[in-house]
């Protein structure tokens, strides 16, 4: 029983991070139609910035949220306004836009990664913050990990409420469901898409900040997270933001279970789920 | 109010509209009829900024609106029921209506407007928590019309609001359209249902292969042999 609880809680701990990351990608891919393979680079930037602020200035990792979040938002917003909007304007069809924007985000991946390598070097970094064991149902967890889950849930729920209740949030959901119709209601689609891109980047950076509290960080840490985010977005249903959040928790639980049985098979299990999903229910658990 | 002057438009290389002229005066219901594929929806797209003109111009209240993006056209006071309704399927009826009030002038008044729209469409009030994708066909059309009213438009563009409805509901749609005019909303109405349309509208334009082939007062058009033969089957 204790091991079972341990596996479940462990799954939620990592799943909370997946949920945030996937929610971010869901905004960029599900709404703005950019399969942003540089998503993980924003996670990396958030993580390394938090590491720098902590080690150089002793700034509490949670406070670096105030830096990473807005900075990543601005970067994502400007990127959409400049790069992706131009690609959108020159693409004759949605299919062409998807492939061209994918290529552009590949380029971006390498640019950001190399800039980070110059800025931070290739070494693996880490710091110790709240790394004290806490006993939960008889199983030991790091306090930093529990804090991570708490933060992920708060950010996830706050964002969900923003989407559900506010005028801009509703416009984002409307644009995800039918962007032409949203435009006919008076929604400025280009700014909504840029907002989505900005929020996606901000969520990635926040996730990176949380990851840096528990795991080692390097300039090349991003890609595995990008892949996980893609799997979760498909798992949760393309364009469904609550679906991405749930999907993240589900994938975390599965990962935790597989890790418990055979740690080396975790990634294999993720790919297997991905492949099965594409074959059986490509619309995802909450997809249309 | 709305002036369409010499408008031509194309999809890629295929030209669909040829030098279309059309005027809608304040307080009128103007109908646009024509067979399938004659370019009615295309003309609507050209008005609302979804399709760039290849030549000509569109003026609203004396100001040029061609070249504006769709959201800016809506801000001028033009709303529409797009072809097929195009509701937001995963939003509730109430949220769909709220989206209609998205322009900033309308957003602050959305609660009062909502009550007014509920008076016109009582069924929407009953269904307000239901997701749009679970509505019946008739309810969807009502929602699409209600949503178009939520911005408090001066001009409303309706693309086949009675499409796929039973006769009783079709009559209801036309009654609502007349109600719009009585409430001071000018209407440009696209319809397949020529008889009902000509009996409801003030003036009408007939579009054929992207050209205006006939125009005039509805009462006059109803008398012409051409319309009686081609569209009323008399
Ligand atoms: N997106 C598009 N790309 C290419 N051609 C199009 C497109 N949309 C419409 N057309 C073509 O333009 C012509 C006019 O179409 P339009 O939708 O304006 O007709 P309509 O009068 O609204 O017809 P209906 O009564 O069936 O709705 C048709 O021949 C159609 O095939
Ligand atoms: Mg049409």
């Amino acid at each position: 029983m204790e091991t079972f609880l341990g596996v479940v809680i462990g799954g939620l701990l990592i799943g909370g991070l997946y949920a945030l990351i996937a929610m971010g990608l869901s905004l960029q891919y599900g709404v703005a139609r950019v399969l942003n393979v540089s998503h993980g680079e924003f996670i990396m930037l958030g993580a390394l910035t938090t590491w720098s602020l902590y080690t150089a200035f002793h700034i509490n990792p949670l406070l670096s949220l105030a830096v990473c979040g807005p900075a990543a938002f601005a970067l994502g917003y400007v990127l959409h306004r400049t790069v992706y909007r131009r690609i959108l304007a020159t693409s004759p069809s949605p299919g062409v836009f998807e492939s061209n924007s994918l290529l552009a985000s590949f380029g971006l991946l390498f640019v950001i990664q190399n800039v980070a390598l110059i800025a931070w070097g290739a070494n693996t970094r880490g710091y110790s913050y709240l790394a004290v064991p806490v006993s939960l149902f008889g199983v030991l967890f790091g306090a930093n990990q529990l804090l991570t889950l708490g933060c992920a849930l708060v950010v996830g729920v706050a964002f969900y409420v923003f989407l559900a209740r506010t005028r801009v949030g509703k416009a984002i959901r409307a644009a995800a469901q039918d962007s032409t119709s949203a435009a006919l209601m008076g929604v400025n689609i280009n700014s909504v898409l840029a907002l989505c891109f900005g929020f996606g980047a901000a969520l990635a950076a926040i996730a990176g900040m949380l990851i840096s509290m528990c795991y080692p960080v390097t300039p090349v840490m991003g890609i595995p997270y990008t892949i996980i985010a893609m799997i979760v977005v498909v798992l949760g249903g393309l364009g469904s933001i609550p679906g991405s959040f749930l999907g993240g928790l589900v994938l975390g639980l599965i990962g935790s279970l597989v890790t418990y049985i055979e740690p080396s098979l975790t990634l294999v299990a993720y790919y297997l789920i991905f492949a099965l999903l594409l074959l059986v229910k490509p619309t995802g658990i909450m997809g249309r | 109010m709305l002036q369409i002057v010499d408008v031509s438009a194309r999809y890629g290389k295929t030209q669909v509209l040829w030098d279309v002229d059309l005027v809608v005066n304040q307080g009128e219901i103007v109908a646009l009829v024509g067979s399938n594929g004659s370019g009615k929806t295309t003309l609507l797209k050209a008005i609302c900024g979804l399709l760039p003109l290849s030549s000509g111009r569109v003026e609203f209240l004396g100001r040029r609106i061609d070249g504006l993006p769709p959201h800016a056209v809506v801000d001028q006071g033009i709303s529409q029921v797009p072809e097929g309704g195009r509701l937001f399927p995963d939003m509730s009826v109430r949220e769909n209506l709220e989206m209609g009030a998205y322009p900033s002038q309308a957003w602050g008044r959305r609660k009062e407007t909502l009550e007014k729209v509920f008076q016109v469409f009582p069924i929407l009030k009953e269904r307000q928590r239901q997701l749009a994708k679970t509505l019946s066909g008739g309810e969807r059309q009502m929602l699409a019309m209600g949503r178009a009213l939520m911005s408090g438009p001066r001009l409303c563009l309706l693309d086949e609001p009675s499409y796929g409805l039973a006769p009783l509901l079709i009559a209801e749609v036309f009654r609502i359209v007349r109600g719009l005019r009585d409430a001071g909303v000018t209407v440009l109405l696209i319809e397949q249902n020529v008889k009902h349309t000509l009996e409801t509208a003030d003036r009408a334009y007939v579009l054929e292969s992207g050209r205006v082939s006939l125009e005039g007062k509805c009462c006059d058009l109803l008398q012409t042999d051409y319309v009686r033969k081609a569209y009323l089957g008399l």
Side-chain angles (χ1 to χ4, degrees):
Chain A
M1 192 59 203
E2 275 176 15
T3 39
F4 175 72
L5 272 177
V7 167
V8 168
I9 298 173
L12 290 178
L13 291 178
I14 189 74
L17 289 173
Y18 291 177
L20 273 196
I21 296 167
M23 221 161 66
L25 187 69
S26 182
L27 285 165
Q28 299 180 335
Y29 187 42
V31 187
R33 292 277 145 200
V34 178
L35 182 49
N36 180 21
V37 287
S38 68
H39 192 55
E41 308 318 305
F42 291 85
I43 299 174
M44 177 270 290
L45 287 178
L48 279 168
T49 308
T50 307
W51 173 81
S52 289
L53 291 174
Y54 186 74
T55 48
F57 306 106
H58 302 290
I59 293 176
N60 184 310
L62 287 178
L63 287 183
S64 83
L65 178 82
V67 181
C68 295
F73 176 85
L75 190 58
Y77 187 87
V78 169
L79 264 175
H80 194 277
R81 282 263 135 164
T82 51
V83 179
Y84 295 110
R85 183 180 173 174
R86 191 156 304 168
I87 298 174
L88 189 59
T90 53
S91 298
S93 75
V96 174
F97 173 71
E98 278 196 30
S99 49
N100 286 351
S101 60
L102 175 65
L103 288 179
S105 74
F106 251 118
L108 198 63
L109 183 164
F110 292 117
V111 171
I112 299 179
Q113 208 176 77
N114 282 300
V115 169
L117 278 168
I118 295 167
W120 280 286
N123 293 339
T124 302
R125 317 278 185 168
Y127 59 90
S128 173
Y129 175 71
L130 278 184
V132 285
V134 176
S135 168
L136 214 61
F137 306 106
V139 191
L140 290 181
F141 295 100
N144 49 3
Q145 282 189 305
L146 294 172
L147 180 65
T148 303
L149 176 62
C151 291
L153 290 179
V154 168
V155 172
V157 169
F159 198 74
Y160 179 78
V161 171
F162 163 75
L163 288 177
R165 295 288 166 79
T166 64
R167 176 168 177 252
V168 175
K170 285 173 206 256
I172 290 176
R173 284 162 52 219
Q177 291 168 36
D178 186 338
S179 62
T180 305
S181 186
L184 294 178
M185 299 302 117
V187 175
N188 183 339
I189 288 299
N190 279 324
S191 9
V192 163
L193 297 187
L195 277 181
C196 284
F197 218 81
F199 284 128
L203 286 170
I206 292 171
M209 170 208 100
L210 296 174
I211 287 168
S212 76
M213 291 201 269
C214 310
Y215 304 96
V217 295
T218 78
V220 293
M221 67 188 274
I223 292 175
Y225 287 110
T226 305
I227 293 170
I228 287 170
M230 285 177 188
I231 296 174
V232 177
V233 166
V234 174
L235 181 69
L238 197 59
S240 166
I241 290 152
S244 299
F245 197 79
L246 277 183
L249 295 177
V250 169
L251 197 72
L253 285 172
I254 296 172
S256 175
L257 187 66
V258 176
T259 310
Y260 172 71
I261 299 164
E262 175 55 62
S264 59
L265 286 182
T266 316
L267 264 183
V268 179
Y270 289 172
Y271 288 122
L272 208 62
I273 293 167
F274 191 47
L276 277 178
L277 200 69
L278 288 179
L279 287 173
V280 180
K281 193 166 189 311
T283 50
I285 41 183
M286 288 183 71
R288 268 170 266 142
Chain B
M1 185 178 224
L2 179 74
Q3 256 176 319
I4 295 168
V5 185
D6 263 342
V7 162
S8 300
R10 57 181 75 239
Y11 293 110
K13 286 197 169 62
T14 16
Q15 182 158 357
V16 174
L17 295 177
W18 306 78
D19 307 320
V20 173
D21 288 290
L22 184 149
V23 176
V24 182
N25 298 310
Q26 176 109 34
E28 275 187 318
I29 297 175
V30 171
L32 181 61
V33 296
S35 52
N36 292 119
S38 56
K40 306 178 297 292
T41 301
T42 305
L43 183 60
L44 222 57
K45 287 189 193 165
I47 297 171
C48 69
L50 283 179
L51 186 69
L53 311 184
S54 40
S55 67
R57 60 178 201 276
V58 179
E59 288 175 11
F60 183 64
L61 298 170
R63 230 178 297 161
R64 278 189 77 150
I65 57 166
D66 53 270
L68 292 182
H71 67 91
V73 174
V74 177
D75 287 341
Q76 303 284 315
I78 302 180
S79 74
Q80 75 169 285
V81 174
E83 188 169 42
R86 300 194 78 149
L87 301 172
F88 303 112
D90 289 320
M91 287 177 133
S92 68
V93 166
R94 194 189 174 92
E95 282 184 314
N96 267 278
L97 290 170
E98 283 176 341
M99 279 312 295
Y102 187 82
S104 41
Q105 326 84 277
W107 188 256
R109 282 177 289 152
R110 68 188 184 286
K111 292 230 167 63
E112 295 106 86
T113 325
L114 199 61
E115 285 312 315
K116 282 190 210 154
V117 168
F118 282 157
Q119 273 169 19
V120 184
F121 305 96
I123 184 74
L124 297 182
K125 184 166 189 172
E126 279 170 41
R127 307 274 155 162
Q128 54 177 308
R129 309 242 160 265
Q130 205 170 318
L131 290 185
K133 66 179 171 193
T134 64
L135 293 178
S136 76
E139 290 162 351
R140 280 178 208 202
Q141 294 285 33
M142 298 296 159
L143 179 52
M145 288 182 77
R147 189 179 63 171
L149 298 181
M150 286 295 296
S151 61
R154 289 195 257 210
L155 172 66
C156 198
L157 314 172
L158 308 176
D159 196 343
E160 304 199 26
S162 74
Y163 183 78
L165 300 185
L168 214 61
L169 271 180
I170 293 182
E172 172 75 3
V173 164
F174 282 98
R175 197 183 58 73
I176 289 164
V177 171
R178 280 192 296 271
L180 286 183
R181 176 180 51 192
D182 299 340
V185 182
T186 308
V187 175
L188 177 61
L189 174 65
I190 294 184
E191 263 300 334
Q192 298 279 0
N193 200 315
V194 176
K195 184 162 178 294
H196 258 305
T197 306
L198 293 184
E199 284 165 3
T200 302
D202 300 300
R203 289 187 305 113
Y205 291 78
V206 178
L207 207 57
E208 264 172 43
S209 317
R211 289 187 172 84
V212 174
S213 62
L214 206 61
E215 61 171 286
K217 288 212 166 97
C218 287
C219 46
D220 298 339
L221 288 178
L222 276 168
Q223 304 306 323
T224 56
D225 284 344
Y226 175 75
V227 170
R228 290 168 70 89
K229 274 211 194 78
Y231 293 100
L232 302 178
L234 297 174

